[in-house]
Amino acid sequence: MLSKTLCVLALSLLTLCGCTTLTKEYASSPPEQTSIVVVGYFDPSRTEWERDALRFQRSLNAELRASGAFAEVRSSVPRSLPADALVINGTVLDAYGGNDLAQAVLGLGGPSAQVEVRVSDGQDRVLLVFNQGSLIARKHLDVRSWSPLEVSNLMDDLAADAAHAITRWREGKPINDTLF
């Protein structure tokens, strides 16, 4: 009973400390209008991260569509773009799967993920660059239904936070350097 209480306390503390970090590298003013947002290619940077890069790309697309902040969200870059289009690309910098045994026994050794996101305009000028990283998937913080964490859960969380940051930037609001 004491060990379960300690686990709940540790997870609560980690939740309060923040699960996802966002570090802004570069930000210019957003365009006045945006007709199309295209979620382009996310480079896996390592062959074994291809599935994770695709998961992030799909989740980001879905989150941007669900936000309703943009009139049109596309999943592939057309040959020609209007001048007021935004293109989102990036790189998966880390997609460590973790160790299920270490997670179960020690509560440590879980997955980690880090993604760099770049937003460009229709003329390929970079407008926004930020890095995001995560160690704990928010969906798995309920100890009663604990299951080993998966990198795909982290990618979903990072995509949701990226969509939120892009939407805030597009609206002229500041994006936090660290999300809690």
Side-chain angles (χ1 to χ4, degrees):
M1 181 66 178
L2 180 60
S3 63
K4 186 173 183 178
T5 303
L6 288 174
C7 284
V8 170
L9 219 83
L11 286 173
S12 298
L13 183 60
L14 286 170
T15 303
L16 292 174
C17 293
C19 300
T20 302
T21 60
L22 182 144
T23 306
K24 183 173 46 179
E25 300 293 327
Y26 173 77
S28 67
S29 299
E32 290 183 26
Q33 289 185 313
T34 303
S35 64
I36 298 172
V37 174
V38 180
V39 179
Y41 181 69
F42 278 81
D43 177 26
S45 79
R46 292 177 75 175
T47 308
E48 62 267 22
W49 297 341
E50 287 178 7
R51 183 177 51 122
D52 302 311
L54 187 57
R55 176 70 176 245
F56 180 84
Q57 183 180 342
R58 287 179 180 164
S59 294
L60 180 60
N61 189 304
E63 290 290 338
L64 288 170
R65 283 179 194 269
S67 76
F70 301 98
E72 187 176 350
V73 180
R74 295 184 182 175
S75 58
S76 62
V77 182
R79 290 182 188 233
S80 63
L81 288 168
D84 61 345
L86 293 178
V87 179
I88 305 168
N89 292 303
T91 305
V92 173
L93 303 171
D94 178 30
Y96 172 65
N99 182 311
D100 291 347
L101 182 61
Q103 282 185 69
V105 176
L106 303 173
L108 303 171
S112 62
Q114 186 175 4
V115 177
E116 179 185 78
V117 177
R118 292 179 300 279
V119 179
S120 306
D121 65 10
Q123 285 80 41
D124 207 26
R125 291 181 298 222
V126 176
L127 303 174
L128 176 66
V129 179
F130 58 90
N131 284 312
Q132 285 186 278
S134 185
L135 296 172
I136 299 174
R138 289 187 292 265
K139 296 175 186 172
H140 288 272
L141 289 176
D142 182 3
V143 174
R144 296 170 297 183
S145 62
W146 185 87
S147 61
L149 302 176
E150 300 288 336
V151 174
S152 58
N153 301 116
L154 295 179
M155 290 299 173
D156 291 344
D157 286 349
L158 289 176
D161 290 341
H164 179 74
I166 292 165
T167 301
R168 288 186 57 80
W169 167 78
R170 175 59 193 94
E171 293 170 348
K173 298 176 183 174
I175 61 172
N176 300 335
D177 287 339
T178 302
L179 297 175
F180 292 99

